[in-house]
Amino acid sequence: MVSLNTSVSRPMTIELQMKEFKKANVTFNTALFGTLGIILLMLPIVVLLSYYSPSFFEIPSNQENATRILFFGVISAFLLRAWSSNFGVSIFAYNRLDLLNMINVINILVQVGLIILLFKLYSPSLVYIGLAYLIAAIVAFAVTVFFSHRINPHLTINIKDFRRSKVNEIMEMGGWVIITQIGSLLFLQIDLIVVTKLFGTLAGGEYSIALMWSSMLRTIAGLLIGILTPVILTCYIKGKIKELINLSKSAIKLTGFAMALPIGFICGFAPQLLSLWVGPEFVKLSPLILLMLFHLVINLPVMLLFDINIAYNKVRIPGIVTFWLGIGNFLLAVIIPSLTGWGYYGVAVAGAIVLTIKNALFTPWYATKVLGIPRTTFISSMFPGALAMFIIAGSCRLINFFVPISGFGALIVSGIIVTIVYIGSVWIFTKENIERHIIMSMIPSFIKHKFKT
């Protein structure tokens, strides 16, 4: 679904921004009916997987049919959401990320609400979970179509606008994006599998505690970067390349500042967080958390530069590099622990090394190559966030040294104090108009109105 959004959003955003609605309809209908055809071809596989799903797990005989319905409901819901993303692309093209987030919230609320309601009215059953997922996907699909039509009434469903030539264009970019995603999976998912296989399930459980924080921070960074993706495409469409470069530099700096706060707080209070959250016996994982998180303050903000590759349709080289570095991450995750005896710390070291090579070194360099600008253009924007993170982490350690944190109340109060001081400092530090503009664009309009009054 991500590769579809990426490969369709670029041409559709360009066509809609240039008010070429006829071309946009061709792109829209080609993607809509093309993915529908793929989904229809997949349905027999979905039915077979659902039917034989009980044989994949140890399921009691009286729960086999319920398991089949659960699998069919969940997979069908995923396919329906994938198809509905064709309508979501037009919402994305107009930078209405608030509506896309609202759709996701509605989907989750309907899922959870139906499961609770059905469990209350009847009895807990896997069947109701599968039905809840499918019904929630149908509701989310209807809401997506409604918002898409309201935002962009120029798009109409018409099979006559389907073009095979457009399929090749979409699939070419989509294919390389899929390769990039496979490489990214080897970065994000393979380490826990390696730890579990090499060191056992107990070590895997301990590693997953630290990995959870990393995953959460990646999600936050993805949300922040997603806000600016349509803006970068718009700058490219209008030929405002200098503005695009300045926007990217400021966005990297500000995303670094934004990520420095949670990363620095978690690293600074890692022993206290672990003790209060999972127990004192897990305080030993503090160095692992530091090792897995500290480099993210540089490696996450530069992900924004991949949007430049998408805008210029230069995704082949990044796809190849990401895939092979993903393979390298897997090999290093196996080799480093075996050579050094560092255990799962060696797996974390492998991930930090390879991710830094890809994000901190290759990604900025390739973006400058695409734009035809000096190689060091984005380097200066990467380090202020890192400096801020070390200052925050050090401040948190000092707070705990003078006022030992022994409960959630003290931890929350410390977090509030650090946050207020930090946000004030960042606001003073970001004197450039473009950076202030980016910050203000992320604040809801009713809050900005109160500031003005």
Side-chain angles (χ1 to χ4, degrees), residues 27-91:
T27 302
F28 170 69
N29 284 286
T30 299
L32 184 69
F33 290 104
T35 51
L36 178 61
I38 293 172
I39 289 170
L40 292 175
L41 289 173
M42 291 177 65
L43 277 180
I45 300 173
V46 172
V47 172
L48 285 173
L49 284 174
S50 302
Y51 183 79
Y52 288 105
S53 59
S55 61
F56 302 148
F57 308 96
E58 294 183 5
I59 303 294
S61 57
N62 62 338
Q63 291 293 319
E64 288 185 354
N65 288 331
T67 303
R68 292 186 179 105
I69 295 173
L70 170 66
F71 264 74
F72 183 79
V74 172
I75 298 174
S76 298
F78 171 79
L79 293 176
L80 183 58
R81 290 302 308 276
W83 194 53
S84 70
S85 66
N86 290 289
F87 296 93
V89 166
S90 66
I91 303 173

Side-chain angles (χ1 to χ4, degrees), residues 83-360:
W83 194 53
S84 70
S85 66
N86 290 289
F87 296 93
V89 166
S90 66
I91 303 173
F92 173 85
Y94 284 99
N95 201 18
R96 293 304 305 270
L97 302 180
D98 56 328
L99 297 181
L100 292 176
N101 290 330
M102 187 186 299
I103 293 166
N104 291 330
V105 169
I106 290 171
N107 181 65
I108 294 171
L109 289 177
V110 173
Q111 277 180 12
V112 176
L114 278 177
I115 291 171
I116 294 173
L117 180 64
L118 292 171
F119 279 21
K120 279 275 189 182
L121 292 177
Y122 304 100
S123 59
S125 172
L126 296 176
V127 173
Y128 300 141
I129 298 176
L131 287 175
Y133 269 76
L134 184 56
I135 293 171
I138 293 170
V139 172
F141 172 76
V143 175
T144 305
V145 173
F146 173 76
F147 282 145
S148 177
H149 182 70
R150 287 289 299 273
I151 295 297
N152 188 12
H154 304 287
L155 293 182
T156 56
I157 301 174
N158 189 348
I159 196 170
K160 292 181 180 179
D161 285 331
F162 179 87
R163 299 286 187 275
R164 287 188 178 181
S165 58
K166 199 69 177 180
V167 172
N168 295 333
E169 180 185 330
I170 292 172
M171 291 304 295
E172 181 179 2
M173 175 177 276
W176 289 115
V177 173
I178 288 172
I179 291 173
T180 301
Q181 290 173 355
I182 293 171
S184 298
L185 286 174
L186 292 173
F187 280 107
L188 304 178
Q189 304 296 334
I190 202 69
D191 48 355
L192 184 58
I193 297 172
V194 170
V195 169
T196 304
K197 288 291 184 183
L198 292 181
F199 309 111
T201 55
L202 180 61
E206 292 179 347
Y207 194 86
S208 66
I209 293 172
L211 186 63
M212 187 212 69
W213 293 105
S214 175
S215 300
M216 179 191 69
L217 292 167
R218 292 173 193 273
T219 302
I220 294 171
L223 292 173
L224 293 174
I225 290 168
I227 295 171
L228 294 172
T229 300
V231 181
I232 287 176
L233 284 173
T234 301
C235 289
Y236 168 77
I237 294 164
K238 295 180 178 179
K240 298 179 178 179
I241 306 305
K242 186 176 180 179
E243 185 177 327
L244 185 153
I245 294 168
N246 291 332
L247 174 68
S248 299
K249 290 170 65 177
S250 296
I252 291 171
K253 184 193 294 185
L254 289 176
T255 306
F257 280 143
M259 298 309 300
L261 181 58
I263 294 173
F265 183 83
I266 295 168
C267 290
F269 285 125
Q272 291 73 34
L273 282 168
L274 288 167
S275 179
L276 294 170
W277 175 40
V278 287
E281 65 273 20
F282 291 99
V283 171
K284 64 180 182 179
L285 298 178
S286 299
L288 180 63
I289 287 181
L290 267 64
L291 186 57
M292 293 180 69
L293 300 190
F294 83 95
H295 60 89
L296 296 182
V297 74
I298 288 179
N299 287 327
L300 293 182
V302 295
M303 293 193 305
L304 171 81
L305 297 178
F306 187 70
D307 293 331
I308 294 175
N309 303 334
I310 293 170
Y312 281 83
N313 198 13
K314 299 289 186 180
V315 294
R316 184 173 68 90
I317 299 299
I320 294 171
V321 170
T322 302
F323 178 79
W324 285 110
L325 283 177
I327 298 293
N329 179 57
F330 169 70
L331 294 175
L332 278 179
V334 175
I335 293 171
I336 291 179
S338 62
L339 292 180
T340 62
W342 291 346
Y344 49 48
Y345 287 92
V347 178
V349 168
I353 291 172
V354 181
L355 188 64
T356 301
I357 292 172
K358 184 182 84 72
N359 284 13

